[in-house]
Amino acid sequence: MNHTDIRTAVTDLLFTPGLDLDQAADRHFAPDYRQRTDGRWDSRPEFLTHIAHLRGVVADGSVEVHDELADGDRYADRHTVTVTKTDGSTVRMEVYVFAEFAPDGRFRRIEETTLMLEGAEADRNLGSAR
């Protein structure tokens, strides 16, 4: 199965300025997509509201995948996202992901837990900020 991955999805969503948000989301997330971040469930529209907010806060960044496993329709990874915010500050978060693919290879569901490695206390909820 050809499928997306976290590095490509996050890069398209947050670190590719000319790419339209809906176009980026359609590449990587099924119409029935749901996400749970640190215990909070979001529908696809709620997730896109979160990403739109981040696009206004994030100037640049990168994703480093440390561990990644795909098996059939299941996916898991551990990655670090480093973000430079528009105010010049840096936030680094380690993220643990368990996910399910839709039959077309896009994410149908992601459940993730985040651990802030660097950043201000106010950035602790960056993974679910709106």
Side-chain angles (χ1 to χ4, degrees):
M1 170 196 307
N2 253 353
H3 55 75
T4 191
D5 60 78
I6 288 294
R7 178 185 296 125
T8 307
V10 172
T11 298
D12 281 356
L13 288 173
L14 294 180
F15 308 134
T16 308
L19 184 57
D20 176 74
L21 176 57
D22 290 325
Q23 185 180 359
D26 287 344
R27 285 182 184 177
H28 304 286
F29 302 94
D32 60 345
Y33 178 72
R34 301 178 329 136
Q35 179 167 321
R36 184 172 76 169
T37 302
D38 297 328
R40 176 189 172 149
W41 279 105
D42 285 328
S43 64
R44 181 180 160 131
E46 292 166 328
F47 170 72
L48 293 180
T49 297
H50 161 65
I51 297 300
H53 168 76
L54 289 181
R55 281 183 162 207
V57 175
V58 172
D60 194 20
S62 63
V63 178
E64 180 183 0
V65 175
H66 308 290
D67 299 293
E68 184 176 48
L69 175 66
D71 185 17
D73 69 347
R74 301 300 176 176
Y75 177 88
D77 97 343
R78 180 178 64 91
H79 64 276
T80 300
V81 179
T82 303
V83 167
T84 303
K85 295 172 53 180
T86 55
D87 67 6
S89 63
T90 299
V91 178
R92 284 183 51 237
M93 299 190 102
E94 188 167 348
V95 184
Y96 303 86
V97 172
F98 288 92
E100 176 187 359
F101 292 118
D104 65 6
R106 294 184 291 175
F107 288 120
R108 169 176 282 153
R109 176 183 49 84
I110 288 179
E111 297 184 49
E112 67 181 19
T113 298
T114 63
L115 173 65
M116 191 164 78
L117 303 173
E118 177 184 343
E121 184 61 32
D123 294 323
R124 190 164 297 281
N125 74 339
L126 199 61
S128 58
R130 288 197 165 52

